[in-house]
Amino acid sequence: MFAELNSILNTSPDSFKPGEFILVSDKHTDASFLIHHFLSFYLRAGCKVCFLGLVQSFSHYSAISQRLGVSLTQGREKGQLVFLEGLKESLGVLLQGEASKETRTMDFLRDPSSGLRGLYDFVRDNVRGAVGGAEEWGPPVLLVDDLSVVLSLGVSVGAALDFSHYCRATVCSELQGSMVMLVRCEAEEEEESDDEGSERLLRGLIHQCSLTLQVQGLPTGYCRDIHGQVEVCWRGQCDRQQAQKKLFQYKVHDKGASFFARGMSSAVL
Amino acid sequence: MAAPKMSVGKPTVDRLPCNTTSFQKKSRSKLVSIPGTRPSIQNGQLIVSTGVTSLDYVIGGGLAVGTLLLIEEDRYDSYSRMLFKYFLAEGVVCGHELYVASALDHPNDILQELPAPILDDIASPKTVEDQAKSCDPESQDAMKIAWRYQHLPKVQTALASSSRFGHYYDVSKTMDPEICQAARCHGFYLPEHSTAVTSPTATTSGQSPMPETYSSLLNNLQEVIHREGFDGSVPQTKSRNILRIGLHSLGSALWDDDLCCRENPSHGHALTTFLYGLRAMLRSSLSVAVVTVPSHLIQNRALMGNITRLCDTAIALESFRGSERETNPLYKDYHGLLDVRQLPYLNCLVCDLPDNKDLAFKLKRKQFTIERLHLPPDLSETVSRVSRGELTGTAMVGSSGCGSGSTGNRHLDF
């Protein structure tokens, strides 16, 4: 959990807005440090977290969360965290090729045209939580890292947008929980293809979300001390509240990230 | 090695359980007994050498076990093939097992062409340091005018880390067959494996995203990993070892993939699905993979971006051979440019970012060096300096000769 980011977003583990759909996107850089922030944030807030880790192994997130002060193994044992290890499940699907009985979660690997229905079923089953047990955990949270990898694996943009729409309807509207998704894009210098997958996905998701954090490299070039810039944009839900944008630069450390206004990096001053 | 963060983490178990990944932080108290590997200085990951010491330095110390290095080939596949052979030769010298897959040359032919290791190579890295040290006392006397700069370190163009890791190879000789024979090697030669005419996946209702070639390679690789016990399934009575996987020229037309042939390939997601499966396999076993892709044939840059993001470390080679830059005086010392496209974040939030991204390589007989590209001072009388930005810009267009001619009007006639 990054304290500076909490103050920028005006949230804390004790008080955060319910029903938020937060979209994290990046271009030519890696914004997964924000996913680690949100993971430790919501675990500290006591929410029930469903994490779809499609690109990295569980021990990767566990090691980083350890440095941020949260134990993922403990969370998994207590039932607060449900973790889908996409890589592990995918091997069974890719190698054998026949329809497996239990896990239909990663079915889109075998047949990309079928869409992300199996993944949504997994989310729906795990986000509701134990019906019999007491409501010891807070509102449910869904974290996806990252959604654009399914585009690389052949799933269409429409299917990915359907998935996020269904998840939003279940998690944010029905259960008043929150959702955080990471989308990675490729910036095109010239618009050679209009229907470039990840750009369309990004535009569709920006339309659906309530808060975006767009991470980019510095427009002036590569710098070792400033890793990039983050543009935070609140989309106005009510009539009187307009969309509000703020721009920060950031540097990622071993145990966190620091955010500062443009030109105020300690390396420059 | 005395990084404080290593003591913060919990000490992990020594044996590798079969259902967890190999990304376990090895604590210092339990020394890892796999030859040819060492824990990384930055984050305690277990790393192996790529065979080229300057490449190890550029990618942050070495290749982490369980990750994938993508090499974007240069135009004639000359230097990328050299790096591929260095990687395999390093495996032979360290005693690792090898897995070589190729569609063009038989893996046995590739193994016979490996460069010979220089086993008494303590002399070669020291000479660079010795020269640097010997220059300093001279320069201290020499700095009479610019004495304020005396305390600054001399700019080192050669990239090398202080501790030695990896071996040096002599490119002009091939490895002794006896040394080669001692290494266990598994080969996958595509023409021998493309036997099945009717694949079972084609009869299912959906369309399989991977062509038969990639799925048979993936199955074969999984079978080797499982049989030899690299994924911890077989309790290894002998000491643990690393499997070095080399996959040559994936994505080319020989692998039944039209990624390089068309702008909108029909199997657009074949290679990315394969790389996803490979990533899953690497994360759960003690292996490290190097994949070369002929990226100069891929017209769709977005696809190349997808491929890069599914790999951990990615470098691109661009050789000057056959281009106009071969005769350019700026690049006369080098054979090509090397671009580090991506470095992985493994078990930590940061990775070791380089401070300079302009790198060039040259292949000498005993060393493949990667150096920072910098402009030497122009001491000629006529100020006819062509800036580097113009060079790289116009060379992309392909007319650096014309470019320098058109900037001849920089001669300001006062």
Side-chain angles (χ1 to χ4, degrees):
Chain A
M1 194 175 69
F2 310 149
E4 287 172 4
L5 188 58
N6 282 345
S7 60
I8 288 173
L9 297 177
N10 269 337
T11 56
S12 77
D14 308 316
S15 70
F16 54 91
K17 259 171 55 179
E20 285 247 345
F21 178 7
I22 302 175
L23 179 70
V24 180
S25 76
D26 66 25
K27 263 191 177 103
H28 286 324
T29 180
D30 195 351
S32 42
F33 68 100
L34 289 173
I35 289 285
H36 296 295
H37 157 81
F38 284 113
L39 177 61
S40 53
F41 178 89
Y42 285 114
L43 280 176
R44 269 201 211 180
C47 297
K48 182 161 199 315
V49 177
C50 176
F51 194 103
L52 304 183
L54 299 175
V55 284
Q56 294 281 11
S57 58
F58 175 73
S59 48
H60 169 84
Y61 296 103
S62 176
I64 298 182
S65 300
Q66 199 86 36
R67 289 183 211 232
L68 297 179
V70 170
S71 168
L72 290 194
T73 35
Q74 261 186 10
R76 211 153 68 153
E77 280 163 21
K78 287 193 289 188
Q80 189 187 7
L81 171 68
V82 175
F83 196 99
L84 171 71
E85 267 200 78
L87 289 175
K88 232 170 47 159
E89 311 274 334
S90 69
L91 263 190
V93 173
L94 281 175
L95 289 174
Q96 263 65 348
E98 78 259 0
S100 68
K101 300 69 66 182
E102 319 83 34
T103 51
R104 306 196 54 91
T105 325
M106 304 291 284
D107 256 6
F108 61 91
L109 281 170
R110 188 184 315 117
D111 181 17
S113 54
S114 66
L116 296 174
R117 183 61 199 252
L119 207 58
Y120 169 68
D121 290 337
F122 177 87
V123 170
R124 191 194 50 207
D125 297 334
N126 285 294
V127 131
R128 293 196 187 260
V131 178
E135 284 292 313
E136 61 226 34
W137 307 119
V141 174
L142 171 67
L143 287 149
V144 180
D145 177 21
D146 67 78
L147 193 58
S148 43
V149 75
V150 302
L151 294 184
S152 313
L153 297 171
V155 176
S156 67
V157 175
L161 286 173
D162 287 343
F163 168 75
S164 76
H165 177 72
Y166 270 78
C167 287
R168 187 170 80 121
T170 311
V171 175
C172 298
S173 307
E174 193 183 321
L175 298 170
Q176 289 297 305
S178 306
M179 215 160 88
V180 182
M181 283 196 180
L182 172 65
V183 176
R184 310 193 64 189
C185 310
E186 276 288 306
E188 297 286 332
E189 289 86 26
E190 64 272 7
E191 292 296 319
E192 42 190 44
S193 58
D194 295 324
D195 55 345
E196 204 272 285
S198 52
E199 278 293 322
R200 267 178 58 203
L201 179 64
L202 179 65
R203 271 185 261 141
L205 288 175
I206 289 180
H207 179 73
Q208 291 180 7
C209 70
S210 58
L211 170 65
T212 54
L213 288 107
Q214 294 190 326
V215 181
Q216 284 180 352
L218 289 179
T220 45
Y222 171 72
C223 172
R224 199 177 187 194
D225 294 309
I226 305 174
H227 294 163
Q229 65 183 29
V230 180
E231 188 177 344
V232 183
C233 180
W234 288 269
R235 299 191 68 242
Q237 302 290 342
C238 327
D239 294 319
R240 54 186 174 85
Q241 209 181 17
Q242 285 179 346
Q244 200 188 358
K245 280 195 192 184
K246 280 194 198 171
L247 187 68
F248 294 93
Q249 291 177 341
Y250 70 91
K251 179 176 174 161
V252 183
H253 308 296
D254 185 40
K255 286 196 195 280
S258 55
F259 295 81
F260 35 85
R262 261 188 298 185
M264 305 288 276
S265 160
S266 56
V268 176
L269 289 175
Chain B
M1 290 276 284
K5 46 182 170 285
M6 288 176 73
S7 57
V8 169
K10 286 196 279 201
T12 54
V13 294
D14 198 11
R15 299 206 59 86
L16 193 72
C18 48
N19 57 351
T20 60
T21 64
S22 64
F23 272 141
Q24 308 227 358
K25 246 201 284 197
K26 312 274 188 224
S27 53
R28 270 182 65 191
S29 56
K30 304 178 181 64
L31 289 174
V32 188
S33 59
I34 310 178
T37 66
R38 70 163 187 190
S40 157
I41 302 171
Q42 281 100 29
N43 49 11
Q45 272 316 312
L46 197 63
I47 57 174
V48 297
S49 168
T50 52
V52 180
T53 38
S54 38
L55 183 61
D56 287 340
Y57 180 83
V58 164
I59 60 177
L63 269 184
V65 173
T67 61
L68 171 61
L69 169 68
L70 173 76
I71 300 179
E72 294 186 29
E73 292 176 6
D74 53 312
R75 190 170 294 236
Y76 304 106
D77 193 23
S78 37
Y79 298 104
S80 47
R81 202 185 169 85
M82 207 61 236
L83 287 182
F84 191 74
K85 287 194 277 191
Y86 271 120
F87 177 72
L88 296 174
E90 182 71 24
V92 172
V93 171
C94 292
H96 299 155
E97 284 196 36
L98 302 181
Y99 182 99
V100 185
S102 162
L104 183 60
D105 303 310
H106 200 279
N108 290 341
D109 295 338
I110 297 180
L111 288 170
Q112 277 161 13
E113 290 174 7
L114 296 182
I118 304 173
L119 292 168
D120 50 334
D121 54 352
I122 307 180
S124 26
K126 280 279 171 63
T127 50
V128 175
E129 296 162 8
D130 280 339
Q131 273 175 10
K133 287 200 192 70
S134 62
C135 278
D136 283 342
E138 297 172 12
S139 64
Q140 279 192 5
D141 293 337
M143 283 206 172
K144 293 267 193 277
I145 297 177
W147 53 273
R148 281 205 182 270
Y149 297 101
Q150 215 167 303
H151 65 285
L152 291 178
K154 227 164 115 68
V155 172
Q156 296 283 355
T157 54
L159 297 171
S161 58
S162 52
S163 59
R164 217 165 54 87
F165 178 51
H167 302 86
Y168 290 91
Y169 298 90
D170 188 343
V171 176
S172 56
K173 305 185 207 135
T174 55
M175 197 180 267
D176 268 339
E178 292 96 40
I179 310 180
C180 245
Q181 235 70 243
R184 297 206 49 181
C185 178
H186 310 272
F188 180 95
Y189 185 45
L190 186 64
E192 288 170 5
H193 280 264
S194 57
T195 49
V197 176
T198 56
S199 57
T201 53
T203 58
T204 56
S205 55
Q207 187 197 9
S208 166
M210 274 202 292
E212 176 64 24
T213 51
Y214 289 146
S215 39
S216 63
L217 173 59
L218 207 60
N219 277 306
N220 186 281
L221 188 54
Q222 169 65 13
E223 190 209 350
V224 166
I225 288 179
H226 191 76
R227 191 179 64 215
E228 304 290 327
F230 289 105
D231 55 354
S233 56
V234 172
Q236 290 180 329
T237 50
K238 55 188 190 302
S239 59
R240 286 182 287 173
N241 206 352
I242 305 275
L243 178 68
R244 285 192 185 225
I245 304 170
L247 307 175
H248 187 249
S249 245
L250 282 188
S252 66
L254 290 169
W255 287 94
D256 197 20
D257 191 359
D258 57 352
L259 192 68
C260 296
C261 310
R262 290 190 222 147
E263 188 154 351
N264 285 322
S266 53
H267 290 304
H269 306 286
L271 184 57
T272 45
T273 313
F274 172 79
L275 287 175
Y276 192 75
L278 180 63
R279 188 186 176 106
M281 223 179 274
L282 290 174
R283 291 285 195 269
S284 56
S285 62
L286 279 176
S287 49
V288 61
V290 165
V291 172
T292 68
V293 169
S295 67
H296 53 95
L297 297 173
I298 298 178
Q299 287 133 18
N300 196 339
R301 297 314 300 170
L303 277 177
M304 202 57 228
N306 288 343
I307 292 170
T308 307
R309 262 178 269 139
L310 278 171
C311 303
D312 297 298
T313 318
I315 63 173
L317 294 175
E318 187 193 333
S319 81
F320 298 146
R321 187 186 295 182
S323 76
E324 299 80 14
R325 298 199 216 180
E326 201 170 5
T327 50
N328 195 315
L330 182 66
Y331 296 130
K332 66 171 161 42
D333 291 329
Y334 302 109
H335 289 139
L337 297 178
L338 183 134
D339 186 20
V340 177
R341 295 237 201 262
Q342 184 174 273
L343 287 175
Y345 297 83
L346 299 169
N347 288 359
C348 62
L349 280 171
V350 292
C351 69
D352 186 38
L353 290 175
D355 53 355
N356 191 334
K357 282 189 140 185
D358 300 314
L359 301 169
F361 66 86
K362 68 177 150 209
L363 176 62
K364 298 191 284 207
R365 190 168 74 95
K366 291 199 177 178
Q367 210 179 3
F368 185 99
T369 41
I370 299 171
E371 293 179 4
R372 291 187 193 106
L373 186 66
H374 67 284
L375 283 176
D378 191 10
L379 299 172
S380 63
E381 288 178 3
T382 58
V383 184
S384 60
R385 185 192 299 249
V386 181
S387 68
R388 190 163 17 110
E390 278 178 353
L391 264 180
T392 50
T394 54
M396 299 280 263
V397 176
S399 56
S400 66
C402 300
S404 54
S406 69
T407 55
N409 54 5
R410 281 180 178 258
H411 287 275
L412 296 171
D413 294 321
F414 286 97

